[in-house]
Amino acid sequence: MKHETQVEMIRQLLDHIDEKIAPDCGKILACPVSTFTDPDRAAKERDILFRNHPQIIGLSGDLPKPGSFLTNDDLGIPILATRNKDGKFRAFLNGCRHRGAKVTSQSRGEQSRFVCPYHAWSYNNDGRLLAVRESAAFGDVDKDCNGLIELPAQEKYGLLVVHPNRNGTVDIDSLLGQELAEEFATWQFDKAVYRGEMTIDRPLNWKLGSDTFCETYHFAILHRDTVARVNFGDYTPYRRLGNNHCIAIATRSIETVRNQPTDSWNLPSVSTLAYYLYPNVHIILTSNVVSLTRLYPHPTDPGQSITRIWMYQVDHVLPKQNDDQQLNAVSQSNAYEPDFTKPLAYDTTALRELFESTVDAEDFTIACDIQKVAESGMIDVVKFGRNEPGVQNPHNQIREAIGLPPMEEYRDPVVV
């Protein structure tokens, strides 16, 4: 992000804190609880939003050099992503052309040759069939037309995007829109260094999990002993960016900039930028760490989902420090009680602590409770407030994609 834009956003964050300005989208909306429980709706979502929509499967740092690969089994088909000897990102159906066995079951690694564990047919990381074991006995097979089935894929702005439908198309600029594409280009997420991951498998609809990343109204209550000690929750600027959005959340260290010249201001060191990328991805930039969170529905059960969280170091987004501008280091041990007298610099142990003790232990525990209440059949709707545009907009976008009308405005029932 350009420095002048960072300065503008920091001023906006300070104004929201000083004037107690909450986001306001004008009305309360009523969300039917069937959103989280209806099997027919869940099947439409899996087909339209996941099997037939481009999917972010990682960042460039997940394929750090030629010969790197990673796999994904969360989209209804097994996917193998590779970086070939020329550095190009490719994606394939992870299935041998002989009998369909996966050519690798590893989640990530380095190798330029994949050998099917069933009958040892082998492929290079461009998908080309290299050898058929005992080919004379097996019979003639044209290697040129029996390579791994390729899937549409594109890499740009540090994003690895695959379309699970071999007849689909991928256009990252179109998915992001001009403003967000330009913003991501300046963050240089292609320099992100992979540091680890965690998986959360919980009995909750995937959208309930996603909702927890899309508003900060709950910080002061649910997270009063965790991230609310670090962040200002209620007064967060919200930007809608086409089908995507960004919520800017000030950390308490933002107070340090008030008496500093603006040429020293740096947005990531005094805030968290929570990006939502339609339909199921959250990229969260906090100081010099970034997380990629992807939420996936269960293949059949609308009340179950899996969340993949990958963590990266992005030291380049912070300015080089001189002796008068040192950052305060934040790790697992002081994640919720850092020294706010200077801007903060995180490591990924702190990031993991945030996800374990805030997202999993607090957000997703509440979301599981909501799932149980939704499945009880005793309430018809939940309410999305005027100050929750980050929840309202994604739900309406998803409804439009699966052929449903927008949510209706909530009105209290008339008591006779």
Side-chain angles (χ1 to χ4, degrees), residues 282-285 289-293 309-312 351 355:
H282 300 269
I283 293 179
I284 301 176
L285 175 63
V289 291
V290 67
S291 59
L292 172 70
T293 299
I309 302 160
W310 292 357
M311 293 164 273
Y312 311 82
L351 188 58
F355 275 103

Side-chain angles (χ1 to χ4, degrees), residues 134-197:
E134 297 290 343
S135 59
F138 185 86
D140 292 336
V141 172
D142 187 343
K143 294 177 183 176
D144 291 336
C145 61
N146 279 281
L148 297 176
I149 293 173
E150 188 156 15
L151 300 172
Q154 186 183 18
E155 177 178 17
K156 199 170 187 179
Y157 311 120
L159 305 178
L160 303 175
V161 182
V162 175
H163 202 302
N165 185 331
R166 66 187 301 188
N167 297 315
T169 58
V170 177
D171 182 346
I172 293 176
D173 283 308
S174 177
L175 294 172
L176 296 181
Q178 182 177 351
E179 182 178 350
L180 188 53
E182 291 176 355
E183 195 163 311
F184 273 22
T186 62
W187 289 135
Q188 298 179 300
F189 288 138
D190 57 302
K191 295 181 179 180
V193 179
Y194 170 79
R195 294 299 191 202
E197 61 188 75

